[in-house]
Amino acid sequence: MIRRLTPRDAAIWREIRLEALRTDPQAFSSRYEDWADRPLSDFTARLAGAGIFIFEDAGAALGAAILSPDADPARTGRGRVEAVFTRPHARGRGISTGLVRAIVSAARDQGLVELFLDVHARNSAARRVYERAGFAVTADRPEGSNKACEITMRLALGGPLAVAEGH
């Protein structure tokens, strides 16, 4: 089951986020050391500022992903997919695919017209997940892109911004 976390779920978010940073450090721009000693209130604050989704099975969080608003408030209608992670023992079950689909659905429900994400070129499994969801590599790197990643991908969701920009 996929659900959106609330601030009451900060301990769940902390646990899975730290595991992601510890087990797959090359996949993220954040570092485990930067988050490991942070208080639970920092994780609670992150939950208040972004849509964080988890995949749960039998009460255990097996994967997580974030839908964040664009860093530039002037670019309304745009969002970012961040921190997609599936625990190693649960990979190969379509969890990341389900999480990305949930984010795309939530973005549409919020009226967003496009989504961006950054991914390392060598992360072929993640790229396949994003491509199956309709994301395509873009030549432009939008402001706020993760410069540590080599590839930015975009998904047009429709609406006035996408039409006005000719996408």
Side-chain angles (χ1 to χ4, degrees):
M1 173 179 88
I2 295 174
R3 72 177 178 95
R4 185 175 180 159
L5 296 178
T6 69
R8 292 185 309 270
D9 297 311
I12 295 169
W13 171 234
R14 182 182 193 279
E15 177 189 342
I16 198 163
R17 181 64 175 148
L18 290 179
E19 181 178 341
L21 295 173
R22 186 176 59 252
T23 61
D24 288 322
Q26 74 288 348
F28 304 102
S29 59
S30 296
R31 297 174 339 136
Y32 175 82
E33 297 78 15
D34 296 336
W35 282 91
D37 294 328
R38 288 191 183 189
L40 193 58
S41 60
D42 285 2
F43 292 86
T44 303
R46 182 71 168 128
L47 285 167
I52 300 178
F53 296 81
I54 62 165
F55 180 97
E56 287 181 306
D57 186 28
L62 300 180
I66 301 172
L67 170 59
S68 296
D70 193 294
D72 182 349
R75 287 193 302 258
T76 60
R78 296 179 181 179
R80 298 197 62 76
V81 178
E82 301 175 311
V84 178
F85 172 73
T86 298
R87 287 188 156 141
H89 72 277
R91 291 182 181 159
R93 294 175 43 189
I95 292 170
S96 290
T97 297
L99 286 164
V100 171
R101 286 183 181 148
I103 283 179
V104 170
S105 178
R108 283 191 172 111
D109 289 348
Q110 292 176 26
L112 298 181
V113 295
E114 61 186 349
L115 290 173
F116 287 93
L117 61 85
D118 298 308
V119 64
H120 290 278
R122 294 174 306 281
N123 194 342
S124 58
R127 287 182 63 190
R128 283 191 302 275
V129 166
Y130 304 138
E131 288 166 353
R132 280 193 301 267
F135 283 85
V137 174
T138 177
D140 337 8
R141 294 190 60 82
E143 185 85 19
S145 289
N146 175 356
K147 304 302 184 218
C149 292
E150 297 94 359
I151 296 172
T152 296
M153 299 181 83
R154 175 185 175 274
L155 173 65
L157 301 173
L161 179 64
V163 172
E165 292 185 0
H167 296 291

